[in-house]
Amino acid sequence: MNEQQWLQELLKVNGEEVKLSDKQAKILEAAIEMFAEKGYAATSTSEIAKRAGVAEGTIFRHYKTKKDLLLAIVTPTVTKVVAPFLAKEFVKEVFGNQYKSYEDFVRALMKNRYEFVKKHLPLIRIFWQEIAFHPEIKEQFQMIFTENVYEKFKKIVEYFQSKGEIIDIPPDSIIRMTITTIAGFLYTRFLFLPEKEWDDEGEMERTVRFLMHGLTKK
């Protein structure tokens, strides 16, 4: 999905497009491209204006600061894309199924997150780059995770612990290890080394096996 398609999808509310001026749409489109390519801190409003084909002053007529421009992109990403996905599709597709093992659950979780990041990469790249530097973005994501995912995740962990399949340590630790292992693969695959020739299926399977069995030779 390219940035133009992203913008059209992003600016729909209840199926109807938000009315933007042509210049405002170009500014948002250029900002998505620039923030995804260079990061927020390394991108100037003059560069965004140049790519959008508008005067720099035009940006500040629509957005008071560069931070406001970032939040105009990221906030809808969280509230219209990430939140609904976590609350509905993600929970239904991953947490709504019965699994024979925790390994099967992890495999389904990784595959789901892989497809999600691959589909929404331009804005996910911005979101991933900036979440550590902007508390309001991190707080939004934490709230969404806590309200929609955490308790369901914890129940799955506790269920497989009760069956003796996974070790008896705090569920929060298992959740953390699972998330950071999967996130580490996705970050490396799509952001850190995207140009590498990846065997995605093989690497995901190796990641699942590492998470379940570690590096100890059996």
Side-chain angles (χ1 to χ4, degrees):
M1 181 179 291
N2 61 33
E3 284 81 358
Q4 183 61 41
Q5 291 170 320
W6 250 111
L7 191 62
Q8 292 172 354
E9 180 177 320
L10 185 66
L11 297 176
K12 287 181 179 179
V13 179
N14 298 325
E16 297 184 1
E17 290 189 11
V18 175
K19 299 299 182 183
L20 294 177
S21 68
D22 182 58
K23 288 184 178 180
Q24 192 171 4
K26 287 180 178 179
I27 291 168
L28 283 175
E29 192 175 332
I32 290 171
E33 293 174 354
M34 297 294 295
F35 290 158
E37 289 172 11
K38 300 179 60 177
Y40 169 79
T43 300
S44 67
T45 52
S46 62
E47 289 175 311
I48 295 171
K50 183 178 180 180
R51 183 168 295 196
V54 301
E56 187 174 8
T58 303
I59 293 178
F60 295 112
R61 283 201 292 272
H62 294 289
Y63 308 98
K64 293 181 180 179
T65 64
K66 187 175 72 167
K67 180 69 170 287
D68 287 338
L69 178 55
L70 173 69
L71 295 179
I73 296 168
V74 175
T75 298
T77 303
V78 174
T79 59
K80 297 179 189 176
V81 179
V82 177
F85 191 87
L86 284 175
K88 296 179 182 178
E89 288 88 347
F90 178 46
V91 169
K92 181 179 178 180
E93 291 173 9
V94 176
F95 293 89
N97 295 322
Q98 296 291 326
Y99 298 97
K100 293 181 179 179
S101 66
Y102 189 71
E103 184 170 340
D104 286 345
F105 163 71
V106 170
R107 190 172 285 108
L109 176 62
M110 170 163 275
K111 181 67 173 177
N112 182 280
R113 296 294 77 197
Y114 169 86
E115 295 295 341
F116 180 69
V117 173
K118 185 177 180 180
K119 178 181 178 182
H120 302 299
L121 186 56
L123 287 177
I124 293 298
R125 183 181 288 116
I126 298 171
F127 178 77
W128 215 326
Q129 289 170 344
E130 304 307 330
I131 188 171
F133 304 105
H134 304 282
E136 57 271 67
I137 297 173
K138 182 167 65 176
E139 288 168 7
Q140 285 180 332
F141 185 78
Q142 288 174 333
M143 181 180 66
I144 292 165
F145 179 83
T146 300
E147 291 179 354
N148 296 288
V149 177
Y150 173 74
E151 288 300 329
K152 295 178 178 63
F153 207 141
K154 185 178 179 182
K155 286 180 180 178
I156 288 177
V157 169
E158 290 174 337
Y159 171 72
F160 286 110
Q161 283 182 320
S162 72
K163 293 182 66 178
E165 183 179 320
I166 51 179
I167 59 177
D168 187 19
I169 61 174
D172 282 359
S173 295
I174 293 177
I175 292 171
R176 174 184 58 78
M177 292 173 190
T178 302
I179 290 174
T180 54
T181 300
I182 293 174
F185 162 70
L186 295 174
Y187 180 87
T188 305
R189 166 64 180 85
F190 289 105
L191 297 179
F192 188 61
L193 294 173
E195 70 285 349
K196 183 180 180 293
E197 292 186 9
W198 288 88
D199 171 13
D200 289 342
E201 292 296 329
E203 196 65 27
M204 284 193 285
E205 185 61 26
R206 287 186 284 273
T207 302
V208 171
R209 290 179 183 176
F210 164 74
L211 184 58
M212 296 304 303
H213 307 295
L215 295 175
T216 302
K217 189 174 182 179
K218 302 298 183 181

